[in-house]
Amino acid sequence: MKITVLGAAGGIGQSVSLLLKMKLPAGFKLALYDIAPVTPGIGVDLSHIPTDVAVKGFTGNDLPLALEGSNVVVICAGIARKPGMHRSDLFKFNAGVIRDLIATGAAICPNACFCIITNPVNSMVPVAAEVLKKAGVYNPQKLFGVTMLDVIRAETFVAKFLDRAAGTIRVNVIGGHSGQTILPVMSQVGGFEFTDEEAAALVRHIQDAGTEVVDAKAGNGSATLAMAAAGYRFINAVVRGLMDEENVIECAYVEGGSQHSRFFSQPMRLGKEGWYKVLPYGPLTQAEKASLEAMLPTLRDEIRMGEDFILKPELFQDQPAEAGKAEKK
């Protein structure tokens, strides 16, 4: 099986590539691509780690070579944002990046699972879907927005709040991956009950965690390491599903199975063809229902913006793209 990481020279890309090199099963292939000319050297660097995962870095015009034969394509390419920069400010530049990378993927490895980390995820996944649809190869079960960072933050913060060992708490996070569209389902944390105030405080902490990291790094970085760990967890789940392991369940942002919006994140079963069954997230409290209803206009607007970038490109022709910023995840 072959995994390709696009945007492999960035902070997230290098870290997730390291985790994949160290943790993928023996016999896997790992391809790294980035426009940065250092990328082949990153591949050489990783190749010195003693695991039976073959790794090679590509740059420049070699994107088709990196994608050839890929089963899973992980996209973390694009620009990032700095303090005070809204995710919508990233949109035009990163939408162009996703459009071009997905178009090449559609031609070279149309049956791959595409896992999108690049922000704003709520809009980037619809961009990818419309590009794949135009190419005639769109399979909703193989296109994922990676929202796992919200999940691991929720699980970490809740475990700490409950004084439980790290890794022992599971929390589903539904909706999307921006601000109020991130909705941890606190009422479904097994065996525990939170007051409305406790649940609200934990939800705010999870929603604001990206800002917390950027502020702690004094504006000089974002959540690259936690995002890489989250990315690895989700990629590993996709791989386990492709290898026909049973009962692989994680949350992801996909099209299909939601009554709320075209794309929506909630738990799903992963299998040999990507995800194959979206699972219910369970009954919500009144406060959670209110939060869900409040987020939907924003989520739907962000989805529509991604769709329009491909279907109505004239709407974006006069909007300058911003480059060179550093994003908070």
Side-chain angles (χ1 to χ4, degrees), residues 13 30 34 40 47 71 75 85 90 143 147 203 219 253 266 279:
L30 179 60
D34 202 297
S47 74
N71 303 97
I75 305 180
M85 187 180 182
L90 303 172
L143 176 62
T147 57
V203 169
Y253 182 69
Q266 64 189 80
L279 303 175

Side-chain angles (χ1 to χ4, degrees), residues 188-204:
Q188 300 301 311
V189 177
F192 303 99
E193 290 188 12
F194 301 92
T195 67
D196 289 344
E197 292 75 16
E198 290 170 341
L202 284 164
V203 169
R204 284 194 300 272

Side-chain angles (χ1 to χ4, degrees), residues 31 103 117 121 147-148 156 227 311:
I117 292 173
V121 169
T147 57
M148 186 59 65
T156 299
M227 183 63 246
L311 299 177

Side-chain angles (χ1 to χ4, degrees), residues 22 25 37-38 65 83 88 98 107-108 115 135-136 143 157 161 166 174-175 182 191 204 206 228 288 292 313 325 327:
M22 296 184 69
V38 71
L65 291 176
S88 62
I98 294 297
I108 303 298
C115 302
L143 176 62
F157 300 162
F161 177 81
I174 66 174
I182 301 167
R204 284 194 300 272
I206 294 158
E288 289 168 342
L292 175 58
K325 309 252 179 172
E327 172 187 27

Side-chain angles (χ1 to χ4, degrees), residues 1 20-29 50-54 243:
M1 194 175 292
L20 290 167
K21 166 62 176 167
M22 296 184 69
K23 293 177 176 289
L24 283 173
F28 270 56
K29 296 179 180 179
T51 66
D52 292 322
V53 175
M243 295 176 70

Side-chain angles (χ1 to χ4, degrees), residues 125-150:
V125 175
V127 168
E130 294 303 327
V131 172
L132 291 166
K133 191 179 292 185
K134 275 195 168 185
V137 296
Y138 180 41
N139 180 349
Q141 292 175 264
K142 292 191 173 185
L143 176 62
F144 303 91
V146 181
T147 57
M148 186 59 65
L149 180 56
D150 304 316

